[in-house]
Amino acid sequence: MSEIESGSGVLQGGIATGVGSWPGADPREAAATVVGELGALPHLVELPGRGVGADMIGRVSALLVDMRFDSTTRGYRLAVRPGAVSRRANDLLRADMDALEEAWETAGLAGSGRPIKVQVTGPLTLAAQVELPLGHRVLTDSGAVRDLSESLAEGVAAHAAELGRRLGADVLVQFDEPLLTDILDGTLRGVSVLNTVRALPEPEALHILDTVIDVQPGPVLVHTCAAKPALGFLRRSGAAAIGFDMATIGVKDLDRVGELLDDGRHLVLGLVPTSAPDKPVTWREIAEPGVRLIDRLGFSRRLLAEQILVSPACGLAGAPLSWARQALTLAVETAAVFADEPESINFE
C-alpha cells in the first residue's frame, strides 16, 4: 500500500477515537469534551438531538455540491432547489466547525498538525436512505446514485480541506455505512410493500464506495455498525481503515479480520459499549475481546500498538452524557495499554 493508502501520519495504532455522534445539543461543550478526552484523534462531533439537518443523513445536505435535500414524513428526498433543510444543515455544521476551532485553539493545538477526524454518511447508505422526488429510494436509480456519489465525493473533499486549513490539522475522513450489509444482501425494504429494493451487486457497490474514497486527499476510514459487517467487501475497497462493533464478530469472520491485518489495514475496534453496563467496568474488561482476537488470529500483540484503534461500538447520541464521557475515558485507557506493553496484558 502507498503512504496515503496506509494512512501514514494520520492513522496510527494504540490510540482511541470516537465514532461520531454525541448526546445533547451544545456544540461548544461537546467539542471541548471530545478534544479534551481524545487527544490523539478527536473528531468533529455530530449532535443529532438538534433535529432536522443535524442527523447523519440530513447533515449531508450541507456538504453536497449542487444537490440538496427536503424533508418528508419518512426522512429526506432530493430537492430541486435549496430550502429550509439545506440552510439549517449548513448553519448547524458551521456552528459545529466554529465550536471545534475554538476548542482546538483553547487546547493549544492550532497549527500543531494534530490529526482530526470527520464523519460523513457513506454513499451507499445515503442512497438507500434518501428518496428521489417521486418517492423511490435513490439506490433504485443508477444514474441518481452516480450523481449523488460524485456530489458527495467533491463536497466531502472540500469540507475536509476547509477543516484542515482552519485547524492546521491533518484530516481523516470517516464514511459511515450502517446499511452496507442490507444493501449487499437485498434485505433493504422499499418505501412501500410494493416497492422492493434489489440486492446491489458487489462490483457495482464497490465502484460507488471507491468513487468517494478515491477523491479524498488523505486516508479514509469506513465504519459500519451492521450486525454482520461486510468485511470481505470492505477489504476490496480503497479504505485505509475499517471500523466495526467488536460484538458483531463471530468465528466465521476471523479469516476476514486476519486478511485485513495482513494487508496492513488499521482496524478501529468498537470495544466500549454504547450504554452503561449493569456493573462498573475497567479498561481490563474492555480490552479483553480485542486482545483475545489478536491472540486467536496468531498475530503478535504488537499489532495492538501498530494497527488497532479503540472506539465505542457505535455513536453515543443515545447515551446519557455521563456514560458518553466515561466511554471515551475507557477507550483512551484501553488504547494506552495497547500502545504500552500489550505483551504483558494478563486476564487470568
Side-chain angles (χ1 to χ4, degrees), residues 84-296:
V85 170
S86 58
R87 287 192 296 270
R88 176 171 168 77
N90 186 71
D91 289 345
L92 291 172
L93 181 60
R94 290 289 152 189
D96 293 345
M97 294 175 71
D98 290 344
L100 177 59
E101 186 173 8
E102 178 182 326
W104 204 254
E105 292 176 354
T106 300
L109 297 175
S112 67
R114 182 74 59 85
I116 187 76
K117 180 167 69 70
V118 297
Q119 306 81 219
V120 183
T121 305
L124 296 165
T125 293
L126 189 64
Q129 290 285 74
V130 176
E131 296 178 8
L132 295 163
L134 295 180
H136 297 295
R137 296 180 189 267
V138 170
L139 193 64
T140 63
D141 184 322
S142 58
V145 172
R146 181 186 63 249
D147 292 344
L148 184 61
S149 299
E150 291 175 354
S151 175
L152 178 68
E154 184 179 348
V156 172
H159 172 54
E162 179 185 356
L163 192 62
R165 287 192 301 269
R166 290 177 63 162
L167 304 183
D170 295 325
V171 179
L172 171 66
V173 172
Q174 173 183 312
F175 286 109
D176 291 314
E177 288 286 3
L179 295 181
L180 175 59
T181 301
D182 288 334
I183 291 167
L184 296 175
D185 290 349
T187 55
L188 190 68
R189 293 184 178 182
V191 295
S192 72
V193 294
L194 298 178
N195 174 231
T196 59
V197 181
R198 69 181 178 92
L200 195 65
E202 286 201 7
E204 187 176 343
L206 191 63
H207 175 74
I208 293 167
L209 182 58
D210 280 344
T211 291
V212 299
I213 291 177
D214 293 344
V215 172
Q216 307 313 312
V220 168
L221 157 65
V222 176
H223 181 270
T224 178
C225 288
K228 297 178 180 179
L231 300 182
F233 170 86
L234 290 172
R235 184 193 176 201
R236 293 187 287 277
S237 77
I242 309 298
F244 51 86
D245 178 354
M246 185 64 196
T248 65
I249 297 301
V251 174
K252 65 183 183 307
D253 300 304
L254 293 179
D255 287 345
R256 297 288 181 263
V257 174
E259 289 165 355
L260 287 166
L261 291 170
D262 272 334
D263 287 347
R265 311 288 181 104
H266 286 77
L267 299 184
V268 183
L269 300 185
L271 291 168
V272 186
T274 56
S275 57
D278 294 335
K279 59 182 181 178
V281 296
T282 68
W283 68 263
R284 192 172 297 277
E285 288 84 21
I286 299 300
E288 185 169 0
V291 176
R292 294 201 183 281
L293 173 68
I294 297 301
D295 288 349
R296 184 165 186 173

Side-chain angles (χ1 to χ4, degrees), residues 304-318:
L304 292 166
E306 296 168 356
Q307 290 176 243
I308 302 299
L309 292 80
V310 179
S311 78
C314 205
L316 294 169

